[in-house]
């Protein structure tokens, strides 16, 4: 028998044995399907409607407004601002929603929004939801909350890892998009997941990441993307993960969250109670810059996502006339990358990219694959920088008094000619190209382009990064 077939048969028998002897729970065969739904109309009143109207007053008809979120704890504050300010709806889509302080804090505020009548839709990738099935099903019973998990495995406990061996082709496709949309008026989208390390609150390592706060015409387009995934066959309603969930259990989940937050040492760093965000919204409206934008995203399929995000990025990068600056943390370039890099060099366009060093990466396996592409990138004319794991930017990435062991790059961003901006979820790696669903915002804005270019150049400076040489 072929070795691959033998391994698959052994894995299948192992799964069967686990199920037989442990009574491992699994998804029911007759899944309860949620009703299709779409984004609400943009709220006509409230703080976020006011923010959007302030954008309209400063922008052209088709322009949107943007604020670059490049400070970890401020990004957390902005998420709380949108959640606490929502009057009508909240739509959140993410790859990781950790059950740590930041994850619990955001969840508690989302529940409070639902309690005051806001319609909440949460779409989470299933890969890292282990042990949370009951809580997800319970919260899904709330009158104003719908939760769906994307592409879940059938086995929910002990057989979960083994099922991935048997069904790798199906389960290896993950939802990697990250977006928070409030009142269909304001959105945050970029690289950050919901976990302590993305907000400077981890003592192990904290990420350098980027998001965009957006208002204006781009927001309904982002909502359209959310609806595409929400109504896809891969999005499974939360009640299926614990059919015995009762609405009466919600109060217990809420009290557990509150108790955990109050007992956390992080509660001395970040206020765990809702507050008036009027001043932050006012300052944000003044600081936002205008630009014409579009959202690119993969279309989810029955077996695998499309490559629309990749195609959109290839179209985007060909706009460059003289310069490309990029941040990409899990860099494993393929032939398409090298083709574009050589085409840029032939046209006299310089390209510089910063990625993780071995010391700064959170994914050593990915770094091993990347290391074999260093010389080919240099030969293709690309200037390559690697992040220092204890570089000068560590002070800005750690939220005081947190002091992490090291810092890591997680931002996926690019700026062309200091005018055209990409910020999103796409890594230049096989997973993003072929397996994950990905998204990003493309913005034509000289002001935003200059801001991002200055930030990338600062991150590539000698105290933050090493420049590779042959």
């Amino acid at each position: 028998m072929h070795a691959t077939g033998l391994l698959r048969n052994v894995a299948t028998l192992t799964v069967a044995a686990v199920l037989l002897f442990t009574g491992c729970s699994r998804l029911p065969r007759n899944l309860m399907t949620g009703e299709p739904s779409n984004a609400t109309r943009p709220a006509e009143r409230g703080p976020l409607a006011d923010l959007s109207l302030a954008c309209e007053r400063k922008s052209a008809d088709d322009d949107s407004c943007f604020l670059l979120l490049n400070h970890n704890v401020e990004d957390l504050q902005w998420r709380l601002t949108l959640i606490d300010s929502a009057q009508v709806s909240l739509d959140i889509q993410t790859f990781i929603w950790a059950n740590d302080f930041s994850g619990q804090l955001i969840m508690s505020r989302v529940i409070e929004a639902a309690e005051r009548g806001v319609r909440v839709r949460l779409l989470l990738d299933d890969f890292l939801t282990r042990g949370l099935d009951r809580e997800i099903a319970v919260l899904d019973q709330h009158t104003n909350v719908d939760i769906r998990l994307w592409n879940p495995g059938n086995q929910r406990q002990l057989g979960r890892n083994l099922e991935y061996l048997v069904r790798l082709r199906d389960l290896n496709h993950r939802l990697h998009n990250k977006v928070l949309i409030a009142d269909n008026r304001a959105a945050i989208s970029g690289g950050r997941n919901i976990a302590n390390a993305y907000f400077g609150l981890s003592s192990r390592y904290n990420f350098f990441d980027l998001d965009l706060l957006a208002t204006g015409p781009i927001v309904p387009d982002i909502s359209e993307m959310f609806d595409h995934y929400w109504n896809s066959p891969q999005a499974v309603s939360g009640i299926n993960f614990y059919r015995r969930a009762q609405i009466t259990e919600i109060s217990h989940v809420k009290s557990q969250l509150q108790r955990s937050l109050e007992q956390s040492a992080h509660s001395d760093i970040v206020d765990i109670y809702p507050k008036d965000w009027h001043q932050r919204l006012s300052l944000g409206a003044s600081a936002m810059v205008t630009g014409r934008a579009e959202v690119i995203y993969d279309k989810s399929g029955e077996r695998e996502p499309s490559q629309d995000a990749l195609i959109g990025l290839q179209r985007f990068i060909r706009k460059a006339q003289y310069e490309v600056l990029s941040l990409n943390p899990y860099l494993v370039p393929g032939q398409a990358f090298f083709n574009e890099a050589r085409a840029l060099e032939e046209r006299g366009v310089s390209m510089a990219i910063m990625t993780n060093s071995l010391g700064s990466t959170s994914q050593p396996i990915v770094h091993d694959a990347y290391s074999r592409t260093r010389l080919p990138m240099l030969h293709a004319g690309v200037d390559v920088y690697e992040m220092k794991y204890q570089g000068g930017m560590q002070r800005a990435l750690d939220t005081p008094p947190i002091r992490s062991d090291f810092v890591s790059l997680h931002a996926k961003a690019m700026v062309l000619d200091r005018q055209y901006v990409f910020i999103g979820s796409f890594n230049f790696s096989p997973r993003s190209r072929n397996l994950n669903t990905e998204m990003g915002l493309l913005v034509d804005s000289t002001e935003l382009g200059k801001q991002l270019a200055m930030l990338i150049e600062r991150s590539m400076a000698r105290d933050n990064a090493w420049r590779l040489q042959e």
Side-chain angles (χ1 to χ4, degrees), residues 9 12 42 78 104-105 113 149 190 208 254 260 269 352 356 374 434:
N9 287 343
T12 303
W78 269 110
Q104 292 172 354
L105 178 61
L149 298 188
F208 169 31
K254 287 169 52 182
S260 180
I269 305 173
N356 277 305
R374 287 168 168 152
N434 305 317

Side-chain angles (χ1 to χ4, degrees), residues 283-343:
L283 292 173
S286 299
M288 295 183 95
V289 300
T290 62
R292 187 160 299 184
E294 67 171 302
V295 56
I296 56 172
Y297 63 95
D298 292 323
K299 310 302 187 298
S300 59
E302 291 289 340
R303 299 287 294 186
E304 59 190 38
S306 70
Q307 292 188 316
D308 287 23
L310 173 61
I311 294 169
L313 273 175
Q314 289 174 326
R315 168 173 51 86
F316 170 75
I317 200 171
R318 290 166 189 165
K319 290 183 177 182
Q321 297 298 309
Y322 66 89
E323 179 187 61
V324 176
L325 299 174
S326 182
L327 302 171
N328 211 263
Y330 308 122
L331 178 61
V332 187
Q335 191 56 50
F337 177 94
F338 286 108
N339 291 342
E340 298 297 336
R342 292 190 182 97

Side-chain angles (χ1 to χ4, degrees), residues 37-201:
S37 65
N38 294 294
T40 62
R41 292 177 59 84
E44 295 182 0
R45 59 182 61 88
L48 302 180
D50 293 342
L51 180 68
S52 185
L53 291 172
C55 170
E56 289 181 18
R57 288 193 290 269
K58 70 183 337 183
S59 63
D61 290 343
D62 295 330
D63 284 359
S64 298
C65 295
F66 301 92
L67 184 65
L68 183 62
L69 303 180
N70 63 310
H71 297 290
N72 285 344
V73 73
E74 287 191 11
D75 186 279
L76 176 59
Q77 300 283 10
W78 269 110
R79 289 171 187 266
L80 297 176
T81 299
L82 264 57
I83 294 168
D84 291 346
S85 301
Q87 304 286 305
V88 177
S89 64
L90 281 171
D91 292 332
I92 304 177
Q93 182 184 70
T94 190
F95 175 56
I96 298 172
W97 193 317
N99 191 29
D100 57 12
F101 174 80
S102 62
Q104 292 172 354
L105 178 61
I106 292 174
M107 181 61 76
S108 70
R109 302 289 257 278
V110 166
I111 295 172
E112 290 191 36
E115 304 259 290
R116 64 175 185 268
V118 176
R119 188 196 75 170
V120 174
R121 297 188 297 174
L122 306 180
L123 180 57
L124 317 177
D125 186 82
D126 180 59
F127 186 62
L128 295 173
T129 61
R130 185 186 299 273
L132 297 174
D133 283 4
R134 181 167 183 164
E135 288 81 357
I136 288 168
V138 168
L139 291 176
D140 191 48
Q141 301 310 295
H142 194 291
T143 305
N144 293 323
V145 177
D146 281 327
I147 303 179
R148 296 183 183 180
L149 298 188
W150 202 83
N151 196 21
N154 291 322
Q155 306 303 327
R156 307 308 301 166
Q157 293 180 6
L158 295 179
R160 193 162 181 170
N161 291 343
L162 294 171
E163 185 185 13
Y164 267 83
L165 295 177
V166 177
R167 298 183 57 213
L168 184 62
R169 182 176 178 182
D170 294 330
L171 296 181
N172 208 19
H173 299 295
R174 305 314 323 165
L175 178 78
H176 199 235
N177 309 27
K178 295 103 174 173
V179 67
L180 186 158
I181 312 162
D183 283 356
N184 208 2
R185 284 289 193 175
I188 294 174
S189 185
R192 285 182 179 89
N193 291 290
I194 298 176
N196 284 347
Y198 298 91
F199 305 115
L201 297 172

